[in-house]
Amino acid sequence: LISTVLLPLEGFGSLNFVDTTSFEPVDTTYIAAVDEVLVRMLFTNGLPMDAEISVSIYDSTTWTKVYELPVYDENGLEKPNGAFVEAAETGTASNDYRPGEPTRFFSDIRMSADEFRQVMKGNAMIINADIFTTGFDRTSADHVNSKTIKMYTDYTIRVQLGLKTRLNIDPDLLTE
């Protein structure tokens, strides 16, 4: 499929994005050394689009879900629908619906040793993202109360990832 889109793109809408990626299991020697894992996602969103993102771990031989990664907000509260990426607030018609300052926030994925071991039973990750324009009316079938936005080529979103682990390493294992 080849298409052309002329910008600015004006209107409102939503879409669902699902992607699957595989990963190789880690040597069980090293899995036993993990006490806890923290993955921090820092978002700087200049797009007039919100997103709800969840990540599930599967065993691809049977496509059995082995774990749903828990996501926590900046206050340490679990977010049941996954990470929420808040949109930059759009302006009005007088400023051509351009967003003001980008939104900045972070979400955490925290895992205990047992949760990490559960994740390592899988070998595939499915990322599910529901994306919708700022002010999109999800309460009515015709979305009549949705807010108009415009998409321009200079909008950006930045995602930074950090990883912190606590390990309990047996020094005898390091000499092998």
Side-chain angles (χ1 to χ4, degrees), residues 111-145:
M111 290 176 274
S112 67
D114 290 338
E115 290 168 323
F116 181 72
R117 286 176 186 81
Q118 191 69 24
V119 167
M120 291 296 103
K121 290 179 182 178
N123 62 356
M125 177 174 26
I126 296 180
I127 301 167
N128 188 342
D130 288 315
I131 304 167
F132 38 94
T133 57
T134 302
F136 182 68
D137 175 14
R138 296 194 282 174
T139 62
S140 65
D142 60 1
H143 315 293
V144 68
N145 293 318

Side-chain angles (χ1 to χ4, degrees), residues 27-82:
D27 184 325
T28 56
T29 303
Y30 301 109
I31 292 174
V34 175
D35 280 345
E36 66 183 10
V37 175
L38 169 70
V39 178
R40 175 155 291 169
M41 301 169 289
L42 176 61
F43 299 96
T44 305
N45 187 7
L47 298 173
M49 301 187 83
D50 295 308
E52 292 175 353
I53 304 168
S54 64
V55 179
S56 304
I57 306 299
Y58 284 80
D59 174 349
S60 68
T61 58
T62 61
W63 287 106
T64 304
K65 185 190 289 189
V66 297
Y67 196 70
E68 181 83 24
L69 292 176
V71 177
Y72 299 88
D73 66 14
E74 295 175 353
N75 300 313
L77 301 173
E78 187 167 356
K79 300 169 99 174
N81 295 330

Side-chain angles (χ1 to χ4, degrees), residues 5-14 48-49 90-91 96-98 132-137 142-152 155:
V5 176
L6 299 175
L7 295 177
L9 182 62
E10 182 175 352
F12 56 85
S14 69
M49 301 187 83
T90 57
D96 222 10
Y97 300 103
R98 287 186 170 274
F132 38 94
T133 57
T134 302
F136 182 68
D137 175 14
D142 60 1
H143 315 293
V144 68
N145 293 318
S146 292
K147 189 173 178 180
T148 297
I149 62 111
K150 283 189 179 181
M151 295 294 291
Y152 292 92
Y155 292 171

